[in-house]
Amino acid sequence: MQQLLLRIGSRLFNRYVVLVVVLLALGAGYAYVSSLTGDAREEFLYTVHDYLPIVMFMTLAFLLFSGFPVAFILGGVAMLFGLIGYFLGVFKLIEFFNFMPRIWGQAAENLVLVAIPAFVFMGVMMERSGVANDLLYCVQVLLKRVPGALALAVTIMGTILAAMTGIIGASVTMMTALALPTMIRQGYSPALACGTIAASGTLGILIPPSIMLIIMADLLSVSAGDAFTAAILPGLALASLYLLFVVVVAWIKPAMAPPLPPHLLAVPKGKMVGLLGRAFFPPVFLIGMIKGSILMGWATPSEAGAVGAFGAMLLALFNGRLTMKLLQGVCHTAGRTVAMIFFIIISATCFAYVYRSLGGDDIVEHLIKSSGLTDWGFLILIMGITFVLGFFLDWIEITLIVLPVFAPLVAGLDFGTHVPKEEITYWFIVLMAVNLQTSFLTPPFGFALFYLKGIAPKEIRIQDIYRGIIPFVLLQLLAVIIVMAFPDTALWLIRTTGN
């Protein structure tokens, strides 16, 4: 208890220190401006006006390390710099009223974002009802004679969970609890075991139904269903790279991924059909319902999400695990998750409006054009910025902060015959989604690493986790290069389905 109080006190002290530093900086700036007279003050204010959006962005980056909730930081910075702009004569107080219609139109009334609560509910229900646990065991049984079978089972399980839920925390946490102790007992390399679980658990951000794809499609004003379609093949390709890597490692160094003894997963032939019918085919059928309805144009992502949520409840019911207590717990967890997501969306909407009103878009466009970068150079620059930010920020922060800045410029890119102009946006969304996979695995703020370390056995060191994720981050970067060099990997399915 004493250590807990000390930790809480330390975090509160750090936050108050950051707040005091910000207030002192503002006070010093105001005192300096007040001391200037005549032409000197006008020249200073003119210079500040030009660089105010840059200072706003740097302030956001600084405060993100303070430990305050991201939603409060985004909203607070928007209000603060709106007031600073008012005192400098470049922002009117009445513009704060523009927050409301933007919040209403971009979040509250947005039918695209309706899909988020349904998919969050589905993911939590899959985890809490034990359906995912049964599926992992079934995949292990099917692959029991293959070298590296357990690591392959975890990767396949991560792919299936990604196609069903799109929630990273639930996938990584569940697979760590279920598979990591077993992998360690069977003599797996701790680095390989941790890397496989962390990487496969993050596929949910890329393989539809992905909450991130819904938000990206909304920010770039394109069809979420088409974004889902474009991401399917790259997501499966990335999962295939993971599987190939595990097979190669198990073949070259069998000691790192030894096969499981047959007697541990022995299932009588008469019961195998029942196991498949109970644990494997129902979740796969649910995936087919969700994906097929979107691809064939029978349902919107919101409607497919509702079907998926209802289907997850039916699976829990058929397994005899759907109770009122379970349903209440799932609703509470899903409600908190959805509230956090929408709070950040609302705050990011306010931040983006103030940033643009202060001329942030013009500054970014001017800097890029004056740098002499070609369209390819600009695309590579965005990918590099996204990768670096992934070391420090979560995907939702990067998506809601970076995309509004670069979205107007992305629409004007031209890559000739490599990518048709009308398909550039979907190609860009997939590139960003694959790139943002790394944000979960790169230290010091890789959230998948936090999830894994939080419930991993005590013998797992953080060095093992960091060492294990390196090859998977390289595979993710390879996937970015593949999609960039061969855009048909993202665009072929859209063209084929007629979307």
Side-chain angles (χ1 to χ4, degrees), residues 125-142 153 157 160-161 164 174-175 178 265 267 272 274-284 315-321:
M125 177 62 74
M126 293 292 297
E127 177 197 7
R128 297 290 182 87
S129 64
V131 173
N133 187 3
D134 295 342
L135 182 60
L136 177 61
Y137 175 74
C138 184
V139 175
Q140 290 180 59
V141 172
L142 293 174
M157 177 68 179
I160 295 175
L161 281 180
M164 298 178 72
M174 181 192 57
M175 288 196 296
L178 297 178
L265 295 174
V267 177
M272 191 65 194
L275 178 63
L276 290 173
R278 176 175 57 86
F280 186 78
F281 289 120
V284 172
L315 291 180
L317 178 63
F318 291 155
N319 288 332
R321 296 166 181 159

Side-chain angles (χ1 to χ4, degrees), residues 357-376:
S357 181
L358 295 177
D361 288 355
D362 297 333
I363 290 179
V364 172
E365 185 174 1
H366 173 73
L367 290 175
I368 292 174
K369 288 182 177 180
S370 62
S371 65
L373 291 175
T374 63
D375 288 340
W376 279 106

Side-chain angles (χ1 to χ4, degrees), residues 109 118 139 147 158 177 206 255 289 345 362-363 397 441 453 461 490:
E109 199 183 31
V139 175
L206 176 60
M289 289 174 58
I345 290 174
D362 297 333
I363 290 179
E397 300 160 12
L441 300 182
K453 179 59 179 173
R461 302 173 303 165

Side-chain angles (χ1 to χ4, degrees), residues 143-160:
L143 299 174
K144 61 183 177 182
R145 299 188 184 277
V146 181
L150 191 51
L152 292 176
V154 168
T155 304
I156 294 174
M157 177 68 179
T159 306
I160 295 175

Side-chain angles (χ1 to χ4, degrees), residues 275-314:
L275 178 63
L276 290 173
R278 176 175 57 86
F280 186 78
F281 289 120
V284 172
F285 177 70
L286 181 60
I287 294 172
M289 289 174 58
I290 297 171
K291 295 291 189 294
S293 61
I294 295 175
L295 289 177
M296 301 305 295
W298 298 338
T300 64
S302 301
E303 294 166 344
V307 172
F310 182 69
M313 292 180 62
L314 287 181

